[in-house]
Amino acid sequence: MNMQSGRTTLSKFLIEQLRGRDDGADLGALLVDVAAAVKAIAAMTAKGALGGVLGALDARNVQGETQKKLDVLANDAIIQGCEWGGLVAGMASEELEAPYAIPAEFKRGKFLLVFDPLDGSSNTDVNVSVGTIFSVLRHEPEAAPAEADFLQPGSRQVAAGYAIYGPATMLVLTVGAGTHGFTLDREVGNFILTHPQLAIPEDSSEFAINTSNERFWEPPVQRYVCECKAGRSGERGRDFNMRWIASMVAEVHRILMRGGVFLYPKDTKDPGKPGRLRLLYEANPVALLIEQAGGYASTGRGRILELEPGALHQRVPVMLGSRNEVARLERYHAEHDRGDDQPFVSPLFNERSLYRPEMALGSGK
Ligand code: AFP
C-alpha cells in the first residue's frame, strides 16, 4: 500500500485501507461524510466570537449539562451530513437523549454512528482546543435500530476517530489497521495524511488528571498520582510532568503524539456517577485509537473495550495511554481490592490537614 505522508488524501487512504473488505466501500463513504461534517464544524469553531456561535444556550442536554451553541450546531452538522447517504441505520449523540431515527425519506444503511459532537465545549469561549469524537458500529438487520442495538462492546467498533480543532484541524482515525493522523489543508479543503501509523511509547513521565478532585479519588489513584508528584525522591525514581487541558481530545492527541497517561477516574464527589466520561461515544472510540497505536485503555479494573454497555449514556472511569503506566494503575487497583496495598494515606490526610480517610472514602464532603 503506497501511503505517502504529506501527499495521500483521506479518500485515497480509505480506498487503499478498505480495499477487499465486504463493507469497505460503504464504510469509506461514511467516513468521508463524517470528515465533511468535521470540516463544517472546523469552520464554525474557527470563526470564534465573529461567528456568533459562542456562549451557552438556555438549555441542558441529557447529561444535565449546559448546552453551548456550538454543541447543538456541531450535532446538527453531523446529523444532516450523515442521515441522507443510505449508509447509517441510526445515530446516537451525547446531545440527544434517544437514538436518532433516519427519516423515512432516506434509505437506511448497515452502520450505527455514535458521537460526541463537541468534546471539551466548556473551552469554546476561552479559545482552547476542542474536538469531535465518533464511533462506527455495525447494524445488519433491516429494521430500524432500537437503543439496545447501540449497546455493543467497544471491541466491535469497525471504525473510530476524532477531530481536534486546534491551531491545525486534524482528523485521527482507525479502521482496525493502526491509528493515522490527517491534517486539514484549509486552502484545498482536503485532509492529508501527515501522521501515518502513530505509535505510543510504552513508558512515559507525563500524566493528565484534574487534581482538584484528589480527595475524592480511590486510594490506588491517589497512590499513583502521589508517586508521580514525588518524582525522583519517591517510588518512581524519576520526575513527572503534569498536564490538564480539560478537553479529552486534546489530552488524547498529545498522548498519541508523545506518550503519557490520561485519567478521569471515578470519584466520590458524586457517588452515583461511576466516572465522568461516557462509554459509547467518548471512552470506546478513544480506547480503540489508543490501543491501535500500541497503548492501553482501562477502567482501572479491566479493559474498556471489553465492557458490555448497559445504557446509551453510561459513564465509566477512564485511564489510558502508555501501556506500562496503565498496567501499573491496574496493578494498584488489584492490590487495593485484595487488601494487599500498604494502607496508603495520601499526604492530604496527614495530621495537620482537615481531611481524614473516613471522610473522603465515605461521604465525599
Ligand atoms: P465538556 O465537553 O463539558 O467541556 O467536558 C469535557 C470532558 O468531558 C473531557 O473532554 C475533559 O477531559 C473533562 O470533561 C474535563 O473535566 P473537568 O471539567 O473536571 O476538568
Side-chain angles (χ1 to χ4, degrees):
M1 186 164 60
N2 178 15
M3 289 297 179
Q4 286 283 324
S5 181
R7 294 170 182 266
T8 302
T9 61
L10 174 65
S11 301
K12 180 170 176 58
F13 173 87
L14 292 170
I15 290 166
E16 295 287 333
Q17 276 249 324
L18 297 170
R19 190 187 301 275
R21 274 178 48 169
D22 60 359
D23 59 359
D26 284 353
L27 179 58
L30 174 57
L31 293 172
V32 167
D33 285 348
V34 171
V38 157
K39 284 186 241 181
I41 298 168
M44 288 179 218
T45 57
K47 287 196 177 78
L50 297 176
V53 297
L54 298 185
L57 297 168
D58 184 16
R60 289 184 178 276
N61 64 12
V62 63
Q63 328 289 339
E65 294 158 347
T66 304
Q67 269 185 321
K68 300 283 191 170
K69 289 178 190 167
L70 269 174
D71 280 322
V72 175
L73 291 169
N75 185 69
D76 295 349
I78 297 171
I79 295 282
Q80 289 156 23
C82 300
E83 66 177 346
W84 60 271
L87 299 165
V88 293
M91 293 187 252
S93 166
E94 180 190 57
E95 300 305 323
L96 302 173
E97 181 154 9
Y100 178 82
I102 301 301
E105 67 198 277
F106 300 131
K107 176 176 166 293
R108 280 198 300 270
K110 294 187 178 310
F111 297 113
L112 301 176
L113 181 64
V114 186
F115 55 92
D116 177 359
L118 204 69
D119 175 67
S121 55
S122 55
N123 286 315
T124 48
D125 297 358
V126 295
N127 201 27
V128 168
S129 297
V130 293
T132 297
I133 310 171
F134 61 92
S135 167
V136 181
L137 298 163
R138 273 200 186 82
H139 177 72
E140 304 297 347
E142 282 304 307
E147 180 163 321
D149 295 306
F150 288 83
L151 305 185
Q152 301 179 35
S155 55
R156 300 236 308 260
Q157 294 174 98
V158 292
Y162 64 77
I164 179 167
Y165 311 110
T169 291
M170 284 191 69
L171 186 68
V172 176
L173 65 80
T174 181
V175 292
T179 296
H180 310 274
F182 300 79
T183 302
L184 180 61
D185 176 343
R186 292 180 193 278
E187 276 96 51
V188 177
N190 263 346
F191 276 108
I192 304 296
L193 180 67
T194 50
H195 296 74
Q197 206 68 45
L198 288 164
I200 299 174
E202 286 190 339
D203 296 300
S204 172
S205 301
E206 191 161 67
F207 69 100
I209 192 166
N210 182 344
T211 45
S212 68
N213 297 324
E214 183 165 13
R215 64 190 184 284
F216 301 116
W217 300 332
E218 291 188 271
V221 176
Q222 289 170 340
R223 175 183 172 193
Y224 176 81
V225 172
C226 188
E227 289 176 355
C228 289
K229 292 193 294 184
R232 69 182 64 187
S233 63
E235 171 76 19
R236 301 301 304 271
R238 69 177 192 271
D239 289 342
F240 278 70
N241 197 12
M242 198 202 96
R243 287 284 182 274
W244 191 249
I245 307 174
S247 178
M248 180 176 67
V249 168
E251 316 278 7
V252 168
H253 191 69
R254 184 189 59 249
I255 288 168
L256 280 165
M257 293 297 126
R258 69 187 192 206
V261 62
F262 167 86
L263 299 90
Y264 213 109
K266 110 177 154 184
D267 59 44
T268 56
K269 186 159 54 169
D270 182 346
K273 279 186 189 168
R276 176 183 170 102
L277 299 168
R278 274 65 57 147
L279 175 58
L280 284 184
Y281 41 79
E282 290 177 322
N284 272 342
V286 297
L288 186 62
L289 291 162
I290 289 286
E291 294 200 0
Q292 284 286 319
Y296 181 49
S298 173
T299 63
R301 294 184 168 91
R303 188 172 176 239
I304 284 176
L305 291 177
E306 287 166 13
L307 288 176
E308 286 290 341
L312 201 60
H313 300 290
Q314 173 178 340
R315 297 174 191 264
V316 289
V318 174
M319 300 167 203
L320 57 79
S322 293
R323 179 167 286 278
N324 292 342
E325 290 302 308
V326 182
R328 176 183 290 266
L329 276 155
E330 281 197 341
R331 189 168 82 249
Y332 288 6
H333 280 77
E335 287 171 3
H336 173 72
D337 293 347
R338 289 196 306 267
D340 288 353
D341 57 342
Q342 302 305 323
F344 173 72
V345 178
S346 159
L348 276 178
F349 311 129
N350 63 29
E351 290 316 306
R352 291 186 304 283
S353 80
L354 297 176
Y355 297 105
R356 292 285 179 277
E358 60 279 9
M359 288 178 68
L361 299 183
S363 59
K365 289 194 175 42

